[in-house]
């Protein structure tokens, strides 16, 4: 079975109903030496292929441009709207500690209970067997309910969730822009609301040396959107006026806006890595650099990847092709 990732524009019969047995994904990376298995795995190849396919798909495009919105995309947005509504229905509780509001656990318990049902609304009846496997990635994508934290490993789980939907043929090649601009962007909005509402801790944060406390992918895809922009250069994203005027068109600037809302003090101090990136001469160089950094700082870090789960759609087995 070839996923669409390797066949952009392939005929749709490639995504025929799968004659395969699904399974509940599980942890496979238990000690640092297991990281070699991950890097050789089909899961890593497919995950990275998916990220790079979308990176090309949104290149030079604004969030506000025209693109096809299929029925599964609409259903995914509805699913995310449900998660958003549950936040409103689960206000933070009064507690002595400022961070990690325990109401998040109540919110999470609801998702834990409903995830399979939610996923079943997105996938067609003949693929119903896939719901329990795919739902695991959705549950992993919103943060940890014990620690009440959120980080790039959770974000990766959401990308894996979308990747699985592509592998079973629910999402198609021509959904690429909508996957990033409509679904992933809505996911970001909901995650920002969770982070703010429940004062979530950053998971595995490198503090001031990380790119961002919570996200990474919108910086990659967001920098791709800006490649060959006629007048916005990387040096402009530290300019408040430029950010305020353009953030609705570009994911990267939306991320910068959120950081400046959440943090006080000079940008160069609270977001040193991003400040350094603003000195890179072109957006394509920024984009390439961020992809390298993502591999090194997220995908090749044991504390992040030890939580990743592997099943039939994202297998730990070595790459076959």
């Amino acid at each position: 079975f070839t996923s669409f990732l390797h066949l952009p524009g392939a005929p749709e019969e490639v995504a025929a109903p799968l004659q395969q047995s699904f399974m509940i994904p599980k942890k496979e990376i238990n000690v640092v030496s297991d990281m070699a298995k991950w890097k050789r795995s089909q899961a890593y190849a497919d995950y990275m292929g998916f990220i790079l396919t979308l990176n090309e798909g949104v290149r030079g495009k604004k969030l506000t441009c025209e693109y096809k919105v299929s029925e599964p995309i609409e259903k995914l947005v509805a699913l995310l709207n449900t998660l958003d509504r549950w936040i409103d229905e689960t206000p933070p509780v009064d507690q002595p500690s400022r961070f990690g509001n325990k109401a998040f656990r109540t919110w999470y318990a609801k998702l834990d209970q409903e995830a399979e049902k939610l996923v079943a609304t997105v996938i067609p009846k003949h693929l119903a067997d896939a719901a329990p496997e795919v739902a695991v990635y959705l549950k992993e994508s919103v943060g940890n309910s014990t620690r009440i934290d959120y980080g790039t490993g959770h974000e990766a789980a959401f990308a894996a969730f979308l990747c699985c939907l592509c592998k079973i043929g629910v999402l198609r090649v021509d959904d690429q822009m909508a996957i990033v601009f409509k679904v992933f962007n809505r996911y970001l909005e909901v995650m920002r609301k969770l982070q703010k509402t429940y004062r979530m801790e950053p998971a595995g944060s490198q503090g001031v040396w990380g790119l961002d406390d919570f996200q990474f992918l919108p910086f990659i895809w967001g920098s791709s959107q800006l490649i060959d922009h006629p007048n916005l250069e990387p040096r402009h994203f530290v300019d408040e006026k430029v950010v305020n005027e353009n953030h609705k068109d570009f994911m990267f600037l939306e991320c910068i806006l959120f950081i400046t809302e959440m943090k006080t003090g000079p940008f160069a101090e609270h977001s040193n890595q991003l400040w350094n990136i603003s000195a890179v001469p072109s957006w394509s160089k920024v984009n390439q650099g961020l992809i390298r950094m993502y591999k090194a700082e997220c995908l090749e870090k044991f504390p992040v990847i030890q939580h990743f789960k592997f099943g039939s759609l994202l297998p730990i087995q070595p790459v076959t092709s």
Side-chain angles (χ1 to χ4, degrees):
F1 168 67
T2 321
S3 68
F4 82 80
L5 310 173
H6 312 296
L7 296 168
E12 296 204 335
E13 52 266 26
V14 174
L18 302 184
Q19 303 307 310
Q20 80 169 62
S21 51
F22 296 101
M23 62 180 273
I24 299 296
K26 58 184 204 293
K27 272 173 63 110
E28 300 277 3
I29 310 299
N30 300 307
V31 289
V32 175
S33 56
D34 289 340
M35 289 296 285
K37 275 200 299 196
W38 155 243
K39 282 188 251 179
R40 282 196 301 268
S41 71
Q42 190 64 51
Y44 182 92
D46 288 347
Y47 179 85
M48 214 48 228
F50 180 66
I51 299 301
L52 295 174
T53 298
L54 296 175
N55 190 56
E56 281 308 300
V58 300
R59 189 182 170 128
K61 308 278 202 307
K62 291 179 174 182
L63 285 168
T64 48
C65 72
E66 294 277 309
Y67 49 84
K68 174 188 165 234
V69 178
S70 64
E71 195 182 341
I73 293 284
E74 296 281 17
K75 288 175 173 171
L76 280 165
V77 172
L79 180 158
L80 290 164
N81 290 343
T82 300
L83 301 191
D84 190 338
R85 192 181 76 245
W86 291 348
I87 302 174
D88 297 334
E89 292 167 4
T90 318
V93 294
D94 276 338
Q95 60 176 46
S97 60
R98 261 178 73 215
F99 287 94
N101 194 283
K102 290 182 177 60
F104 175 71
R105 291 180 183 147
T106 310
W107 180 90
Y108 184 85
K110 195 162 171 92
L111 172 62
D112 196 35
Q113 220 183 336
E114 303 286 328
E116 278 184 40
K117 271 190 224 145
L118 288 173
V119 170
T121 63
V122 177
I123 57 182
K125 293 262 189 300
H126 70 273
L127 289 169
D129 290 354
E133 177 167 345
V134 177
V136 167
Y137 295 103
L138 179 64
K139 288 190 278 193
E140 296 277 316
S141 75
V142 297
N144 181 291
S145 68
T146 310
R147 295 189 305 273
I148 314 185
D149 65 6
Y150 175 95
T152 50
H154 301 110
E155 177 189 71
F158 191 74
F161 166 68
L162 296 172
C163 182
C164 288
L165 292 174
C166 290
K167 293 198 78 169
I168 60 175
V170 172
L171 297 173
R172 304 285 174 86
V173 179
D174 53 4
D175 287 319
Q176 276 180 57
M177 284 168 66
I179 288 170
V180 179
F181 291 173
K182 222 173 172 58
V183 180
F184 192 81
N185 207 39
R186 184 74 186 106
Y187 164 75
L188 282 178
E189 290 169 358
V190 178
M191 291 309 104
R192 286 174 183 142
K193 186 165 168 176
L194 278 179
Q195 289 152 22
K196 270 187 184 164
T197 306
Y198 304 120
R199 301 297 300 272
M200 297 177 79
E201 299 268 16
S205 166
Q206 290 133 332
V208 73
W209 302 113
L211 184 70
D212 175 85
D213 284 343
F214 298 111
Q215 315 294 159
F216 203 117
L217 292 173
F219 292 95
I220 295 178
W221 296 330
S223 58
S224 182
Q225 284 185 274
L226 285 154
I227 290 173
D228 298 330
H229 192 283
N231 42 24
L232 288 180
E233 292 167 36
R235 64 189 171 92
H236 291 122
F237 77 71
V238 291
D239 177 337
E240 210 178 319
K241 184 171 181 286
V242 171
V243 172
N244 287 335
E245 286 171 6
N246 297 282
H247 69 94
K248 286 192 166 60
D249 284 325
F250 301 104
M251 236 172 201
F252 195 101
L253 302 181
E254 195 68 73
C255 290
I256 301 294
L257 186 69
F258 184 67
I259 292 171
T260 53
E261 278 175 12
M262 298 295 279
K263 299 197 167 184
T264 52
F267 191 86
E269 283 173 28
H270 62 62
S271 301
N272 192 261
Q273 284 282 28
L274 281 166
W275 178 259
N276 293 338
I277 288 170
S278 71
V280 176
S282 72
W283 284 110
S284 63
K285 283 258 188 306
V286 169
N287 186 246
Q288 289 158 7
L290 285 173
I291 290 165
R292 278 197 306 275
M293 187 177 169
Y294 184 60
K295 287 180 183 170
E297 297 301 321
C298 300
L299 301 186
E300 291 172 15
K301 285 282 190 277
F302 175 71
V304 176
I305 296 304
Q306 64 172 332
H307 303 292
F308 198 90
K309 293 189 175 163
F310 300 85
S312 71
L313 296 168
L314 289 169
I316 188 69
Q317 281 71 34
V319 173
T320 43
S321 52

